[in-house]
């Protein structure tokens, strides 16, 4: 039994009312469940909880039950009146003996209902023209009977506690109804007189004075409403305090106060209460006060960056520069860095390290698949289910006004019917505009100028030009096998072991095993797959350790297949024998580089060209350029294109075959076909070719060279203009390959032996 002592009001049977769950729990000292019994104890005078004694309680009480629980609220329903035969009370704990008190049903329920309806419409009529009619109407229309009307307005009835008790004690329903009507109509008249007096006063006074009077009146009514719903008061007071303390700007404070006033008028039962609550909860949850910049220690910052990430020297240098510039300018933000690279290359996690180095909060906002401007800038509050945009939501999650925000996957924003999210993002990133960034949901500006934004993307291709121009691109080219090995050994494996609760004595993974995991069980430029494999390995080891099968586990390369439950990956390896018309090319995929073979063949025919291997449009154009080039370089062989059909095939299903970078390979393969001079399988190449035979630069060189080295290639031809990119290529890859920059496609033809020196060029 949950005892609910109350004073100044009246609780009759057959009344439904909401109670804040927390408040109820306090009275019950146990979790509240549907079906719990409650007893409303009417007090003779106002008492603090711990002062209530038996003699303070009227001897008739009202019994009820917890009917349902809805979120933070419990719906109570009263069932009957009870005589309290004995009462023991010492402050918070009660013990009573009770019997149901019978009712004398001497009034036709129809008749009572009619009188209830009239009471209700008289009440609404009295409220006509007042500001809070709207909120009150919804609330009032939910009452089902006269008992409910009288109980829920009882705090406002202008009668004494004893008179209220007399209503509760009345056994005859007919007499009780009369008493209720009398008390109600008398109070209503009093209210009318009061408000008429106020009206008269209002008309005769200045505007300002009138406003004050209304406000006072509203406050009075609000106070009365609050008494009916003490649970409302806590929300309102909470937000009043939070708004005071938040340090909001003027506009924000005015808006918040407006919403707070509406919330007061709406009341807990109102339709919009929840929405208004959410708004205030959001805006008061933001940090509005400016945070002073932390003292910057470059040495310490570099140490943090080095501790968290292996390699990435260029990136770390650039970050340190950024930090230094920020310190000199005494600013908390600076250029917007865009980290571009394949998944798992450390883009997001280095963003996190920047926050750590700057001793600032970190938050990640994912933009992948965002197609609606409102997801960035928020929905206007007129929409049902309106929410703040992802940016402001992130700022709030960070719990600071100057966090480091990593905007993940800016290349995956989709332009759609919902407007252009990238233009909203532009505004967020523009230092000219972002000091007054206005989220539609918030409807007031918030200063983003102290936020340090860092963006990540897999590619710059799909980022709209204006957005790209605003950012400084730093590429994450992917890791070489050696770098991956170091990352695994220093970072990923120790972390995976810690996560699985395995100590160093319990698990040994040899260097050879780590290398095997990298080479045979992952196919990626980054280390995400590698991280997953090592996690799996540690979990598998944990099973062996816990089951008692072993005291320590040593993992050898040959155990990997069983432990990882994966078949090792097969990479293409260079061909063993050479044949005219077949040349090795290099492709870039999001998972890193791959080698590919271009196969060409003449068959009897009349000059048709057949292309297979599902090539994209750009690559098909490269085929046409290659054919024209070869015809012009080898005019005497061009007859062959007339009397034969040309078949070009590019095997390997997993490699996407589009883009211009196979131009040089296609031309060499065709040249090899027409001349009959085979190209050594140890040569590979990449480069776009123009119709003049000039080799033009391509992307993804580091990944392509890594693939070449893995596949056993010895010499690679690359566009001359890509030479600068060699700085990004791992040392051991450069060591293992002979890298030959070329300017003309004929340089390749000569050096591969397709074009003998005697041929014209
Ligand atoms: P991205 O954002 O590029 O997809 P993440 O930052 O999520 O990649 O990195 C994936 C995982 O690899 C993270 O656990 C990260 O700590 C780890 N990682 C990536 N690069 C390095 C590195 N150079 N040194 C140490 N750990 C790394």
């Amino acid at each position: 039994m949950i005892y609910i002592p109350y004073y100044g009001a009246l609780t009759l049977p057959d009344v439904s009312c909401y109670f804040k769950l927390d408040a109820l729990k306090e009275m019950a000292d146990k979790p509240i469940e549907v079906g719990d019994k409650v007893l409303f104890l009417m007090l003779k005078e106002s008492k603090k909880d711990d002062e209530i004694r038996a003699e303070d309680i009227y001897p008739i009480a009202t019994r009820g039950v917890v009917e349902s629980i809805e979120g933070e609220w419990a719906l109570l329903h009263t069932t009957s009146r009870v005589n309290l035969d004995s009462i023991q009370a010492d402050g918070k704990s009660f013990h009573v003996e009770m019997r149901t008190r019978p009712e004398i049903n001497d009034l036709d329920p129809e008749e009572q209902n009619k009188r209830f309806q009239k009471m209700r419409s008289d009440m609404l009529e009295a409220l006509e023209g007042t500001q809070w009619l709207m909120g009150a109407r919804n609330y009032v229309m939910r009452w089902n009977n006269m008992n409910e009307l009288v109980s829920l307005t009882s705090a406002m009835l202008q009668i004494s506690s004893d008179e209220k008790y007399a209503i509760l004690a009345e056994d005859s329903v007919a007499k009780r109804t009369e008493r209720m009507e009398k008390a109600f109509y008398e109070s209503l008249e009093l209210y009318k007189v009061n408000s008429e007096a106020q009206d008269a006063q209002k008309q005769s006074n200045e505007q300002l004075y009138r406003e004050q009077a209304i406000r006072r009146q509203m406050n009075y009514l609000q106070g009365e409403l609050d008494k009916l719903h003490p649970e409302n008061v806590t929300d309102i007071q909470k937000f009043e305090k939070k708004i005071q303390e938040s340090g909001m700007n003027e506009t924000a404070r005015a808006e918040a106060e407006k919403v707070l006033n509406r919330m007061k008028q709406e009341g807990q039962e109102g339709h919009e209460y929840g929405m208004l609550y959410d708004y205030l909860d959001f805006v008061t949850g933001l940090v509005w006060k400016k945070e002073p910049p932390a003292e910057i220690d470059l040495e310490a910052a570099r140490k943090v960056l080095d501790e968290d990430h292996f390699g990435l020297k260029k990136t770390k240098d650039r970050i340190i520069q950024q930090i230094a510039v920020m310190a000199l300018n005494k600013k908390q933000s600076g250029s917007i860095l865009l980290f571009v690279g394949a998944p798992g290359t450390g883009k997001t996690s280095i963003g996190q390290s920047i926050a750590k180095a700057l001793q600032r909060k970190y938050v990640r906002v994912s933009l992948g698949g965002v197609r609606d401007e409102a997801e960035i800038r928020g929905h206007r509050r007129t929409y049902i289910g309106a929410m703040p945009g992802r940016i402001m939501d992130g700022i709030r999650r960070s719990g600071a006004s100057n966090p480091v925000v990593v905007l993940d996957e800016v290349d995956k924003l989709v332009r759609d019917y919902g407007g252009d999210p990238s233009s909203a993002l532009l505004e967020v990133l523009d230092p000219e505009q972002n000091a007054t960034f206005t989220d539609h949901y918030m409807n007031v500006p918030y200063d983003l100028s102290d936020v340090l934004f860092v963006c990540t993307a897999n590619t710059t291709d799909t980022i709209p030009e204006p957005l790209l121009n605003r950012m400084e691109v730093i590429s994450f080219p992917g890791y070489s096998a050696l770098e991956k090995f170091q990352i695994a050994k220093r970072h990923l494996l120790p972390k995976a072991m810690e996560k699985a609760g395995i100590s160093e004595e319990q698990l040994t993974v040899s260097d050879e095993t780590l290398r095997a995991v990298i080479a045979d069980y992952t196919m990626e430029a980054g280390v995400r797959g590698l991280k997953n494999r090592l996690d799996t390995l540690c979990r598998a080891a944990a099973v062996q350790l816990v089951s008692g099968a072993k005291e320590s586990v040593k993992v050898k390369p040959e155990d990997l297949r069983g432990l990882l439950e994966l078949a090792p990956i097969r990479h293409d390896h260079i061909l063993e024998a050479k044949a005219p018309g077949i040349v090795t090319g290099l492709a870039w995929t999001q998972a890193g580089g791959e080698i590919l073979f271009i196969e060409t063949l003449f068959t009897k025919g009349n000059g048709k060209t057949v292309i297979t291997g599902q090539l994209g449009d750009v690559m098909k154009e490269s085929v046409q350029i290659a054919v024209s080039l070869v015809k012009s370089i080898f005019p005497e062989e061009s007859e062959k294109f007339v009397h034969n059909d040309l078949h070009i095939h590019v095997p390997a299903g997993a490699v996407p075959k589009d883009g211009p970078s196979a131009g040089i390979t296609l031309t060499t393969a065709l040249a090899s076909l027409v001349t009959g001079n085979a190209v050594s399988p140890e040569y590979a190449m990449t480069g776009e070719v123009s119709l003049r035979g000039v080799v033009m630069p391509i992307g993804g060189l580091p990944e392509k060279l890594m693939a070449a080295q893995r596949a056993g290639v010895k010499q690679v031809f690359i566009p001359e203009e890509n030479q600068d990119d060699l700085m990004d290529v791992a040392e051991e890859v450069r060591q293992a390959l002979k890298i030959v920059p070329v300017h003309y496609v004929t340089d390749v033809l000569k050096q591969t032996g397709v074009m003998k020196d005697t041929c014209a060029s």
Side-chain angles (χ1 to χ4, degrees):
M1 179 73 76
I2 307 164
Y3 296 96
I4 307 178
Y6 66 98
Y7 169 70
L10 171 60
T11 309
L12 294 162
D14 203 14
V15 170
S16 292
C17 59
Y18 280 94
F19 249 78
K20 192 100 181 177
L21 208 50
D22 288 346
L24 213 53
K25 258 188 231 155
E26 264 181 45
M27 299 187 210
D29 274 327
K30 75 165 198 63
I32 306 295
E33 283 165 28
V34 172
D36 281 351
K37 298 217 164 51
V38 297
L39 190 65
F40 288 91
L41 301 171
M42 193 170 180
L43 300 181
K44 295 176 187 163
E45 51 186 292
S46 174
K47 287 272 173 186
K48 280 198 195 134
D49 279 358
D50 52 1
E51 290 172 353
I52 300 171
R53 298 282 169 267
E55 58 272 23
D56 300 320
I57 300 171
Y58 283 116
I60 299 175
T62 321
R63 189 156 46 185
V65 61
V66 177
E67 202 162 71
S68 64
I69 294 177
E70 299 160 22
E72 297 174 43
W73 295 94
L75 178 64
L76 308 190
H77 185 78
T78 56
T79 47
S80 55
R81 298 173 309 148
V82 289
N83 285 322
L84 303 179
D85 291 339
S86 80
I87 309 174
Q88 285 165 29
D90 70 21
K92 278 194 164 176
S93 79
F94 298 91
H95 185 263
V96 300
E97 275 174 36
M98 59 187 160
R99 276 175 301 125
T100 305
R101 189 178 170 100
E103 307 257 310
I104 303 170
N105 288 313
D106 50 1
L107 182 67
D108 177 13
E110 274 294 305
E111 164 70 17
Q112 197 197 28
N113 189 38
K114 252 192 237 154
R115 284 155 72 178
F116 154 62
Q117 301 281 0
K118 176 162 180 347
M119 240 160 126
R120 176 157 72 181
S121 57
D122 287 344
M123 175 169 173
L124 288 173
E125 197 183 312
L127 295 179
E128 202 72 57
T130 62
Q131 294 220 5
W132 50 292
L133 176 69
M134 276 278 284
R137 188 190 296 281
N138 288 332
Y139 179 52
V140 167
M141 292 317 283
R142 265 179 256 159
W143 293 333
N144 295 310
N145 54 50
M146 191 183 289
N147 284 3
E148 217 156 65
L149 186 152
V150 171
S151 299
L152 297 176
T153 56
S154 59
M156 271 200 284
L157 296 179
Q158 308 275 341
I159 54 173
S160 68
S161 283
D162 281 341
E163 281 173 282
K164 284 177 189 167
Y165 174 67
I167 296 179
L168 180 68
E170 182 59 68
D171 295 334
S172 149
V173 175
K175 286 195 188 135
R176 195 191 309 148
T177 303
E178 270 170 30
R179 275 175 182 272
M180 289 196 282
E181 282 174 326
K182 184 164 174 283
F184 175 80
Y185 280 111
E186 275 177 13
S187 304
L188 196 66
E189 279 313 305
L190 218 68
Y191 164 73
K192 279 192 201 158
V193 171
N194 256 342
S195 60
E196 272 163 25
Q198 294 267 340
D199 274 359
Q201 200 177 28
K202 267 188 275 171
Q203 276 162 17
S204 64
N205 285 308
E206 303 264 330
Q207 166 100 5
L208 186 73
Y209 188 71
R210 194 144 79 199
E211 260 182 41
Q212 278 174 357
I214 295 171
R215 227 171 247 137
R216 218 178 301 127
Q217 178 73 350
M218 273 171 64
N219 282 343
Y220 165 74
L221 295 174
Q222 188 60 54
E224 295 304 313
L225 270 179
D226 289 347
K227 277 189 210 155
L228 284 177
H229 286 278
E231 64 281 1
N232 274 4
V233 179
T234 48
D235 282 347
I236 307 264
Q237 281 172 349
K238 178 176 87 182
F239 285 130
E240 259 164 10
K241 187 154 171 271
K242 280 186 159 188
I243 294 171
Q244 284 299 329
E245 292 168 356
S246 65
M248 284 181 187
N249 57 43
E250 274 309 302
T251 346
R253 174 187 294 264
E255 178 83 8
E257 276 167 1
K258 205 168 92 191
V259 172
L260 187 68
N261 275 335
R262 263 178 63 201
M263 195 165 148
K264 283 184 195 165
Q265 288 160 30
E266 187 79 0
Q268 197 87 55
E269 312 280 312
H271 287 309
E272 295 204 342
Y273 191 87
M275 194 199 95
L276 301 169
Y277 183 100
D278 288 346
Y279 177 82
L280 289 177
D281 192 42
F282 184 81
V283 291
T284 56
L286 287 167
V287 175
W288 292 85
K289 291 179 191 131
K290 291 261 165 201
E291 269 146 275
E295 202 57 46
I296 288 183
D297 178 349
L298 278 191
E299 272 308 302
R302 181 173 285 279
K303 215 165 136 232
V304 170
L305 295 179
D306 283 339
E307 262 165 22
D308 288 355
H309 288 86
F310 174 81
L312 299 174
K313 183 169 178 314
K314 248 171 55 177
T315 309
K316 289 180 192 165
D317 287 349
R318 180 62 192 85
I319 292 169
I320 291 293
Q321 287 167 8
Q322 167 101 342
I323 295 177
V325 170
M326 276 159 43
L328 279 182
N329 288 339
K330 301 205 168 26
K331 280 199 167 168
Q332 307 213 44
S333 62
S335 343
I336 292 146
L337 303 180
L338 169 63
F339 298 155
V340 182
T345 45
K347 302 180 298 294
T348 319
S349 56
I350 203 143
Q352 198 167 0
S353 296
I354 296 178
K356 210 161 121 193
L358 289 169
Q359 298 167 43
R360 278 160 68 173
K361 296 270 172 52
Y362 159 84
V363 68
R364 173 175 168 269
V365 174
S366 171
L367 297 178
V370 165
R371 48 182 65 238
D372 194 338
E373 197 184 330
E375 286 188 57
I376 305 280
R377 214 199 289 265
H379 296 266
R380 289 187 198 282
R381 262 180 291 146
T382 39
Y383 291 102
I384 292 177
M387 280 189 307
R390 294 196 189 193
I391 304 292
M392 287 316 300
D393 181 57
I395 302 287
R396 157 148 163 167
R397 273 188 288 128
S398 78
S401 63
N402 66 343
V404 174
V405 177
V406 171
L407 298 173
D408 231 353
E409 305 195 307
V410 285
D411 54 334
K412 307 255 166 35
L413 288 174
V414 187
R415 193 184 181 139
D416 205 339
Y417 55 85
D420 183 2
S422 73
S423 71
L425 199 57
L426 263 182
E427 208 182 303
V428 172
L429 299 179
D430 184 355
E432 307 268 309
Q433 295 185 57
N434 71 8
T436 55
F437 175 70
T438 304
D439 180 284
H440 287 329
Y441 176 80
M442 287 172 59
N443 201 27
V444 289
Y446 185 86
D447 184 355
L448 292 177
S449 61
D450 280 350
V451 178
L452 179 63
F453 288 104
V454 176
C455 303
T456 84
N458 290 141
T459 159
T460 51
D461 294 354
T462 48
I463 303 178
E465 198 67 23
L467 193 57
L468 195 57
N469 287 344
R470 185 129 302 153
M471 306 189 274
E472 186 180 328
V473 177
I474 297 182
S475 55
F476 281 56
Y479 299 113
S480 68
L482 191 70
E483 285 173 313
K484 285 184 187 171
F485 172 76
Q486 294 294 351
I487 293 173
K489 200 169 161 73
R490 296 175 192 211
H491 296 275
L492 304 179
L493 186 59
K495 273 192 215 155
M497 284 170 62
E498 194 187 327
K499 209 161 83 182
I502 299 177
S503 69
E504 266 178 47
E505 299 80 55
Q506 289 172 310
L507 176 68
T508 323
V509 181
S510 67
D511 290 358
E512 193 190 359
T513 311
L514 271 188
R515 281 199 198 93
V517 177
I518 293 164
D520 301 334
Y521 293 89
T522 64
M523 198 171 99
E524 56 181 355
V527 291
R528 194 166 287 171
L530 178 56
K531 178 174 177 287
N532 292 342
R533 301 291 169 275
L534 295 176
D535 284 340
T536 314
L537 212 58
C538 288
R539 285 196 301 270
V543 171
Q544 296 190 350
L545 290 167
V546 173
S547 66
K550 288 178 180 174
E551 274 191 9
S552 69
V553 181
K554 268 200 170 83
V555 189
K556 293 197 261 344
E558 54 272 26
D559 305 331
L560 288 175
R561 190 179 183 136
L563 289 175
L564 296 174
E565 295 180 1
L566 271 179
I569 290 162
R570 251 201 73 248
H571 290 290
D572 273 333
H573 207 261
I574 55 169
L575 302 174
E576 299 206 333
K578 59 180 180 179
I582 301 182
V583 177
T584 311
L586 299 171
W588 180 90
T589 75
Q590 296 235 321
E594 280 296 329
I595 65 164
L596 54 78
F597 303 107
I598 296 206
E599 304 174 346
T600 58
L601 194 68
F602 277 134
T603 55
K604 243 187 165 24
N606 51 9
K608 279 204 299 281
T609 305
V610 181
I611 302 172
T612 54
Q614 302 197 342
L615 308 196
D617 288 344
V618 179
M619 200 148 162
K620 280 184 189 153
E621 280 182 5
S622 299
V623 168
Q624 286 168 359
I625 295 170
V627 170
S628 303
L629 256 176
V630 169
K631 281 182 186 167
S632 83
I633 298 172
F634 303 97
E636 65 275 26
E637 310 286 352
S638 52
E639 278 292 293
K640 291 184 182 163
F641 288 100
V642 183
H643 301 300
N644 292 297
D645 284 349
L646 171 65
H647 190 159
I648 298 181
H649 179 60
V650 186
V655 183
K657 281 162 277 186
D658 203 11
S661 74
I664 174 177
T665 324
L666 280 163
T667 314
T668 310
L670 277 180
S672 155
L673 180 70
V674 296
T675 57
N677 297 328
V679 175
S680 160
E682 294 186 344
Y683 290 140
M685 57 198 69
T686 178
E688 182 178 349
V689 174
S690 77
L691 209 46
R692 291 179 297 125
V694 176
V695 180
M696 296 189 298
I698 44 84
L701 189 70
E703 288 88 345
K704 288 177 176 174
L705 293 184
M706 267 162 69
Q709 179 218 11
R710 185 180 59 208
V713 170
K714 293 283 177 305
Q715 182 168 337
V716 185
F717 298 97
I718 63 163
E720 213 168 62
E721 284 187 52
N722 277 111
Q723 280 188 88
D724 285 349
D725 297 347
L726 286 175
M727 284 191 304
D728 292 333
V729 177
E731 182 59 31
E732 86 248 29
V733 175
R734 274 187 285 171
Q735 293 286 335
L737 293 171
K738 183 171 178 205
I739 300 168
V740 184
V742 288
H743 187 65
Y744 289 108
V745 71
T746 43
D747 298 340
V748 182
L749 299 181
K750 282 178 195 154
Q751 294 191 50
T752 50
V754 172
M755 190 169 163
K756 305 295 178 201
D757 281 342
T758 48
C759 291
S761 65

